[in-house]
Amino acid sequence: MLAVVQQTLGITAPVFSMLFVGVALKRLGWIDTAFINTASELVFKGTMPTLLFLGIVQADLRTALQPGLIGYFLAATVVCFLVGWGWAILRCPVTDRGIYTQGAFRGNNGIIGLALATSMYGAYGLSVGGILGGVVILSYNTLSAIVLAIYSPNAKTDPWSIAKSIITNPLIIGVLAAIPVAYFQLQLPAWLITSGEYFAQMTLPLALICIGGTLSLTSLRESSRMAISASLMKVFWLPLLATFGAWLCGFRNAELAILFLYFASPTAAASFVMARAVNGNHELAAAIIVITTLAAVVTTNLGLFVLQWAGWI
């Protein structure tokens, strides 16, 4: 058992330690809000689309593109969304239900989930994670826009606005651009691949540092029962439900582990941005991000330990 614990810590510790590096750098004054905003935009618009593009281009698409895995992930995401929404109706004031629901189901898969999948399974984890990343972007943005629109009257809820935000998303563009290149096995110049790898290698450390720099202990101290409840849904109940469902459907080994890592990821920082954009309770959104990020250090390791101890991954 000790070997399993050491292995899971070896996978998760480097990722989560970068979050705490971001916290320290912000406190020391080495990075500020302007840097975090600029770096986050660079990651979103440039380095992460490049990382996803290269991960798919260099992968065996016939191996990474698994309809059953993608179909289950999408179905489980919708179920988790509905469970979180239903619980929000029971637990929250009307004005906070959209924020609660988004915080309970929207994971930071593009950064935390992808980093852990890559750390654990290398190129295969990056390839499968990149494919799932496209599904994540489509499903999370659409479902979040819907639930925030219902409870936040300032949100743009018309079909064109939602469709435009999806079509112009750089991460989706990176994934879609890579699929034909990988499928037809087009050969890109070696210098272009190398330059792209240099650029893409900035993604995970820079993004993790930025997330760490945005964490606020003040929002944690001021969090309410709603924040704790949503956080428990995000890092415990919904990952348990989704991973158990995946096991019942026959997923094992790398596929089951990657599904777990994606469902167990802490709440995405984008939920805070969307909450502010619709004039929602962004303090609640920030508190959920802080709590889930800290709690995921424990729950992710515990989940991997259980899955490895049971011999399922």
Side-chain angles (χ1 to χ4, degrees):
M1 291 187 183
L2 181 59
V4 176
V5 173
Q6 291 175 338
Q7 184 179 1
T8 56
L9 287 175
I11 294 167
T12 57
V15 173
F16 289 110
S17 66
M18 294 304 295
L19 292 173
F20 300 129
V21 167
V23 174
L25 292 179
K26 182 68 181 296
R27 285 186 170 272
L28 290 171
W30 292 6
I31 63 175
D32 56 13
T33 302
F35 171 85
I36 292 171
N37 292 338
T38 301
S40 298
E41 188 172 4
L42 174 63
V43 170
F44 178 68
K45 293 183 177 180
T47 66
M48 183 168 286
T50 303
L51 178 68
L52 295 175
F53 177 87
L54 292 176
I56 296 173
V57 165
Q58 296 174 338
D60 182 356
L61 194 59
R62 294 174 180 83
T63 301
L65 190 59
Q66 303 177 36
L69 184 70
I70 295 171
Y72 176 80
F73 181 82
L74 181 59
T77 295
V78 173
V79 170
C80 289
F81 167 75
L82 293 175
V83 170
W85 191 0
W87 194 247
I89 292 174
L90 297 175
R91 299 277 298 184
C92 301
V94 173
T95 55
D96 289 337
R97 289 173 183 173
I99 306 301
Y100 181 103
T101 304
Q102 184 183 216
F105 94 96
R106 185 173 188 166
N108 200 345
N109 297 330
I111 297 173
I112 302 295
L114 182 62
L116 292 175
T118 303
S119 176
M120 193 166 185
Y121 293 106
Y124 180 74
L126 178 59
S127 301
V128 175
I131 294 293
L132 288 180
V135 181
V136 165
I137 296 164
L138 288 167
S139 59
Y140 282 9
N141 282 324
T142 302
L143 294 174
S144 294
I146 291 172
V147 74
L148 289 174
I150 292 174
Y151 299 109
S152 303
N154 293 329
K156 294 182 178 181
T157 61
D158 59 283
W160 168 243
S161 296
I162 295 175
K164 184 179 179 181
S165 68
I166 294 172
I167 295 171
T168 59
N169 190 296
L171 305 184
I172 293 180
I173 293 173
V175 171
L176 295 180
I179 291 176
V181 177
Y183 183 80
F184 293 108
Q185 298 182 342
L186 302 179
Q187 296 297 318
L188 300 178
W191 67 266
L192 184 62
I193 295 294
T194 302
S195 299
E197 288 175 344
Y198 288 159
F199 188 59
Q201 285 170 1
M202 294 190 293
T203 300
L204 297 180
L206 190 59
L208 292 169
I209 287 173
C210 288
I211 290 177
T214 62
L215 296 182
S216 170
L217 293 179
T218 300
S219 63
L220 178 60
R221 288 193 297 267
E222 295 176 352
S223 63
S224 64
R225 291 183 179 179
M226 286 190 295
I228 296 173
S229 174
S231 299
L232 286 173
M233 291 283 287
K234 181 67 200 74
V235 299
F236 185 76
W237 293 114
L238 293 183
L240 180 64
L241 173 66
T243 305
F244 182 65
W247 180 82
L248 289 177
C249 290
F251 291 104
R252 299 291 187 275
N253 302 320
E255 290 73 26
L256 181 61
I258 292 171
L259 285 171
F260 165 73
L261 291 172
Y262 268 51
F263 285 116
S265 294
T267 301
S271 64
F272 175 80
V273 177
M274 290 191 68
R276 294 204 64 162
V278 299
N279 293 323
N281 186 352
H282 58 271
E283 289 87 0
L284 174 60
I288 295 171
I289 293 170
V290 174
I291 295 171
T292 57
T293 300
L294 295 174
V297 178
V298 176
T299 56
T300 303
N301 279 294
L302 181 61
L304 286 175
F305 170 77
V306 172
L307 291 174
Q308 289 183 333
W309 177 71
W312 296 339
I313 65 174

